[in-house]
Amino acid sequence: ELKVEQNPLFLSMQEGKNYTIYCNYSTTSDRLYWYRQDPGKSLESLFVLLSNGAVKQEGRLMASLDTKARLSTLHITAAVHDLSATYFCAVDIDYKLSFGAGTTVTVRA
Amino acid sequence: ETGVTQSPTHLIKTRGQQVTLRCSSQSGHNTVSWYQQALGQGPQFIFQYYREEENGRGNFPPRFSGLQFPNYSSELNVNALELDDSALYLCASSLDGAGGYTFGSGTRLTVV
């Protein structure tokens, strides 16, 4: 059974500092997604990583994928309040997504 | 190009009742997947429909069933509702199931 583990589950960030969220998974896959979810809302797609070594960046967020280590990271640079949300990674196996438990991020001044 | 629309947005049902949730896929997409997201958890895969046929199912009992129509819209039916069925139900559409998932805004189901 595929397991997708995110850590940390909760992250209190100070504005202006850098942080990383980790996503480990137990079965080979070369497709991984990162989503953002605001309270009571649906999932907003952040990144699609489709190959080993893939790196994508958008604003203060950068995601990478190491399929050999079965690890993806979401790096946040110079955190700002607008980044407060829950972030999920999802591994695609046979075009079905298995999600991690999510990392709830709170950015404080 | 329209996105994925789900209806209703909120629903309250009594334990033992039946419920139908609806999803209109994004234009051009022929695959719809359904997910259940309990409060404080990540979404769990329920099942997927591709060209009107079920194409994979997660660890959910048979009282969770679905349909996909010729226009690729889809329904999720849940019979004999239990309190634990209270959750946000998300549908996602894609083309040929090949990634590029677009999620709808979800239906919040509360079972009392």
Side-chain angles (χ1 to χ4, degrees):
Chain A
E1 179 185 339
L2 172 63
K3 292 187 178 179
V4 182
E5 295 182 346
Q6 280 183 244
N7 68 82
L9 296 182
F10 297 93
L11 188 52
S12 179
M13 299 185 184
Q14 188 172 352
E15 278 188 339
K17 293 197 172 180
N18 303 333
Y19 297 87
T20 301
I21 299 171
Y22 298 89
C23 175
N24 290 90
Y25 55 98
S26 61
T27 300
T28 300
S29 172
D30 56 4
R31 295 188 302 276
L32 188 137
Y33 302 78
W34 284 96
Y35 293 91
R36 168 183 170 141
Q37 187 174 44
D38 292 297
K41 303 293 185 181
S42 187
L43 298 171
E44 174 190 352
S45 179
L46 296 175
F47 299 108
V48 180
L49 303 169
L50 298 177
S51 62
N52 186 42
V55 177
K56 296 273 186 80
Q57 183 165 6
E58 180 72 34
R60 300 176 186 275
L61 302 179
M62 183 175 71
S64 65
L65 178 62
D66 182 343
T67 58
K68 293 179 181 177
R70 299 178 186 171
L71 170 68
S72 180
T73 60
L74 180 65
H75 188 72
I76 299 167
T77 301
V80 293
H81 180 73
D82 285 353
L83 294 179
S84 296
T86 299
Y87 294 83
F88 291 96
C89 65
V91 177
D92 191 338
I93 301 290
D94 293 333
Y95 305 113
K96 286 82 175 173
L97 298 180
S98 292
F99 287 81
T103 298
T104 299
V105 168
T106 304
V107 181
R108 65 186 190 281
Chain B
E1 177 180 287
T2 58
V4 176
T5 58
Q6 291 187 243
S7 63
T9 55
H10 295 85
L11 201 53
I12 300 175
K13 288 288 189 177
T14 303
R15 190 171 49 183
Q17 285 188 315
Q18 178 265 344
V19 69
T20 297
L21 310 182
R22 295 178 175 83
C23 172
S24 294
S25 59
Q26 181 170 310
S27 177
H29 284 183
N30 56 13
T31 305
V32 172
S33 303
W34 287 91
Y35 293 84
Q36 180 196 65
Q37 186 179 20
L39 197 62
Q41 298 182 21
Q44 299 291 317
F45 174 74
I46 303 175
F47 43 56
Q48 182 184 86
Y49 279 85
Y50 172 62
R51 294 187 175 182
E52 303 179 59
E53 297 288 331
E54 188 178 288
N55 181 40
R57 186 180 183 91
N59 189 26
F60 281 81
R63 59 190 185 84
F64 285 78
S65 63
L67 283 174
Q68 188 178 32
F69 299 99
N71 67 354
Y72 303 128
S73 67
S74 178
E75 287 183 353
L76 164 64
N77 299 290
V78 187
N79 293 322
L81 283 166
E82 301 176 359
L83 297 179
D84 285 349
D85 296 332
S86 295
L88 179 67
Y89 288 84
L90 297 165
C91 79
S93 74
S94 61
L95 177 60
D96 294 333
Y101 308 99
T102 302
F103 279 86
S105 56
T107 294
R108 173 74 62 187
L109 172 65
T110 302
V111 182
V112 297

